[in-house]
Amino acid sequence: MSVAKSVLLAIPVLWMLKRIFMPYLWQDLKFFYKVIIYMKKIEQALKQSPSFGVIDLFLKQVATRPNQPFILYQDQSYTYKDIDLKSNQAAWALMEHAKLKKGDCVAIFLGNEPAYIWIWLALVKLGCPMACLNYNIRSKSFLHCFKCCEAKVIIAAPELRNAVEEVLPALTEQEVLVFYLSRESPTPGVYSLLDKIEAASQDPIPSSFRSGQNVKSPALYIYTSGTTGLPKAAVINQGRLLISSSISTLSGITCKDILYIPLPLYHSAGLMIGVRGCIQHGATCVIRNKFSASQFWDDCRKYNVTAFQYIGEILRYLCNTPKKDNDKDHRVQTAMGNGVRGDVWKEFISRFGPIKICEFYAATEGNSFFFNYTGKIGAAGKNNRFLKAMRPYSVIRYDVEKDEPVRDASGHCINVAKGETGLLISKITVTNPFVGYAGDASLTEKKRLYNVFEKGDLYFNTGDLIMEDSDGFIFFQDRVGDTFRWKGENVATTEVADIVGMTDFIEEANVYGVPVPYHEGRIGMAAIKLKEGQTFDGEKLYGKVVDYLPSYARPRFVRIQDSIEVTGTFKQRKVELVKEGFNPAVIKDPLYFLNETDKRYKPMTSQIYNAILEKTLKL
Ligand SMILES: *[C@@H]1O[C@H](CO)[C@@H](O)[C@H](O)[C@H]1NC(C)=O
Ligand SMILES: *[C@@H]1O[C@H](CO)[C@@H](O)[C@H](O)[C@H]1NC(C)=O
Ligand SMILES: *[C@@H]1O[C@H](CO)[C@@H](O)[C@H](O)[C@H]1NC(C)=O
């Protein structure tokens, strides 16, 4: 056979081999290439002296497109130029009246409003980090969060006056300067700021005011809403802030986009991915003080929205709204975020049209990152062998009971097999750092895993249980603290909630495990919200649960709630529910018990409760 002939024969064979063994090779390569190009750009920016930061990008946009709207809010529209001038005024006012110097941290306690963004930019212009307090926190938690970032100044919304007054004595004692973002202050000891800003000069802030800042300088403190304990302040440095626009870049956001951000700006998604992303591309962002499922599409039509951000349960809430004829009447093409479950994803695109869903996985403080670049429904992203070589991660076996990774006889962690759920950990390296939290060093230490596969190696513990399938798709399973163990088996709360939520009369389900006296582990329980006008059907739910779930994963108790409580970042709250347990004398909500003989959920009674405590009823 001639050489030419064998080459010709080899082509289809290679093609077949690729199809069989590496069906995603081209997509992997393409994505890798995109990421590399992006990282090169960032690296170059970082190497510049003086250091190139978010503010330089913003000023570049101001110069290129001064009259393009940057922020839309209610019926107000602010151009890039408007926000630039506003932030100059705020910076001059803060320097004069709060005596701010480079490096001083300022805490802000504001809802979503344009001022959030121009105050932030003012602080960046002065080289001051900003601590983004969650406006829902109060008293002890407030003081804790405030203390972690060591701010000397706090700017609060006048609407949050009660919360401020509650902690004012403690703040005054620490000589903290407190301002309301209003023209006058009704509270003795709190100053007004808005009047001072309005009186200040619009002149640009010389870049010398922020000189000497580098990639490692803290830019933001963002509080991660832990499922237990007090919030932790993740330190976001300038380098991290620069890189955080990668998600909007990979999602294809451009200057023509109008990005709707229905998320709180105190969280990393809204500020670091949303607003920061818009600055990168010169896009417009629409902010809203609070997410509203019923207003969502009207807003999209009103502002000509082309892309939006979601998180947690948001897409589910949109699917749960009553169907309307104009559901597909909008210009939205892209949605980026994380936390959408597979079933909701399908329903969402079939109902609202072919919107590109850019699901990614990333934690505020973490150093691992996955992105959906193949369009696999339900996957949070894909393992990319090329990227993995640069940013190694592993999925390891985890002991849910002991709440720690499983180690073998020689003390090393064990990789799980493909398709098996495990704990995601990512290697901490110079190029893949984990900056940690402000304040108490033990918090940072707790997230570090040492001697994982060999002596001296170091990983970041994401606290997330994921599953990687044989094609390398990554599926988020559960948070470590949420997954529970019953009869020696692990139960992922999200999986059970998906099944329970598929029942036609249930709008939303929140699943958790409750401890039972004399039993190891925790037994499954579901808090559910019924669809409007529907009643609970214990037989139907039983049928669903038995058809789809192994016996150890079936919720033994069901509690009907008027609404399912979520955190500020749209994750379901479980801790309180776990504490409340299943005692019908304590819980005022309708409570049901899975009766196996009767093959249905029946009302929970004190007899059943006592029988469980007396061990006469076997679970
Ligand atoms: C949305 O687009 C329409 C048609 O192009 C235009 O008339 C309208 O002014 C736009 N609305 C906003 C808020 O930009
Ligand atoms: C996942 O991402 C790809 C690439 O950005 C996109 O084309 C696709 O639509 C996304 N997946 C789905 C199901 O929308
Ligand atoms: C389950 O239902 C059957 C039939 O109604 C009843 O006899 C039995 O006591 C129930 N079991 C429990 C634990 O309530």
Side-chain angles (χ1 to χ4, degrees), residues 556 593-600 602-603 605 607-608 611-612 617-618:
R556 206 54 198 262
F593 171 75
L594 186 158
N595 181 320
E596 278 171 330
T597 348
D598 238 12
K599 301 197 184 312
R600 65 178 67 220
K602 294 176 79 174
T605 61
Q607 282 85 345
I608 300 179
I612 293 171
L617 197 163
K618 281 229 159 24

Side-chain angles (χ1 to χ4, degrees), residues 195-419:
D195 52 335
K196 301 179 174 84
I197 291 174
E198 283 167 348
S201 152
Q202 293 189 329
D203 290 349
I205 304 294
S207 62
S208 60
F209 285 33
R210 51 182 178 274
S211 64
Q213 293 251 312
N214 61 33
V215 242
K216 296 231 169 94
S217 314
L220 291 170
Y221 295 94
I222 297 229
Y223 296 84
T224 60
S225 49
T227 39
T228 52
L230 290 164
K232 294 180 280 191
V235 186
I236 310 296
N237 61 30
Q238 298 284 352
R240 178 69 191 246
L241 189 58
L242 218 48
I243 291 170
S244 64
S245 64
S246 54
I247 289 165
S248 55
T249 305
L250 295 170
S251 305
I253 302 293
T254 71
C255 63
K256 299 217 169 61
D257 275 303
I258 299 174
L259 178 70
Y260 186 50
I261 309 177
L263 313 176
L265 293 174
Y266 61 71
H267 192 246
S268 56
L271 194 64
M272 288 170 62
I273 294 171
V275 179
R276 163 73 188 86
C278 285
I279 294 176
Q280 178 79 24
H281 310 289
T284 301
C285 53
V286 182
I287 56 172
R288 195 190 149 88
N289 41 12
K290 206 161 178 268
F291 166 75
S292 156
S294 60
Q295 289 299 304
F296 190 92
W297 295 107
D298 287 337
D299 274 354
C300 288
R301 286 182 278 266
K302 172 174 169 186
Y303 299 110
N304 294 335
V305 167
T306 60
F308 74 86
Q309 270 189 289
Y310 65 89
I311 189 170
E313 305 292 329
I314 280 187
L315 295 193
R316 186 188 302 277
Y317 296 159
L318 294 176
C319 288
N320 284 344
T321 57
K323 287 202 166 70
K324 285 191 184 158
D325 292 339
N326 62 353
D327 275 345
K328 288 199 170 89
D329 173 18
H330 58 74
R331 300 183 190 178
V332 177
Q333 287 164 356
T334 308
M336 53 176 181
N338 51 59
V340 62
R341 309 288 305 167
D343 53 336
V344 176
W345 187 326
K346 277 184 210 147
E347 191 183 335
F348 185 83
I349 34 194
S350 88
R351 176 160 164 200
F352 299 107
I355 295 171
K356 179 169 110 178
I357 297 193
C358 298
E359 172 85 3
F360 63 88
Y361 170 92
T364 307
E365 73 281 38
N367 60 347
S368 46
F369 160 70
F370 300 110
F371 189 82
N372 154 45
Y373 54 90
T374 50
K376 172 93 169 179
I377 290 196
K382 190 174 173 302
N383 166 9
N384 184 302
R385 70 196 86 205
F386 309 108
L387 276 179
K388 194 173 175 181
M390 291 166 52
R391 316 181 117 214
Y393 70 87
S394 291
V395 187
I396 58 171
R397 207 167 284 167
Y398 194 77
D399 185 329
V400 170
E401 204 109 43
K402 291 199 193 127
D403 206 12
E404 62 186 32
V406 177
R407 295 205 180 236
D408 63 14
S410 55
H412 293 143
C413 294
I414 308 158
N415 279 306
V416 299
K418 286 273 152 73

Side-chain angles (χ1 to χ4, degrees), residues 20 53 64 85 103 142 192 216 332 340 367 401 494 509 512 538 567:
I20 297 167
T64 334
L85 296 179
F142 187 135
S192 63
K216 296 231 169 94
V332 177
V340 62
N367 60 347
E401 204 109 43
T494 51
Y512 49 98
T567 64

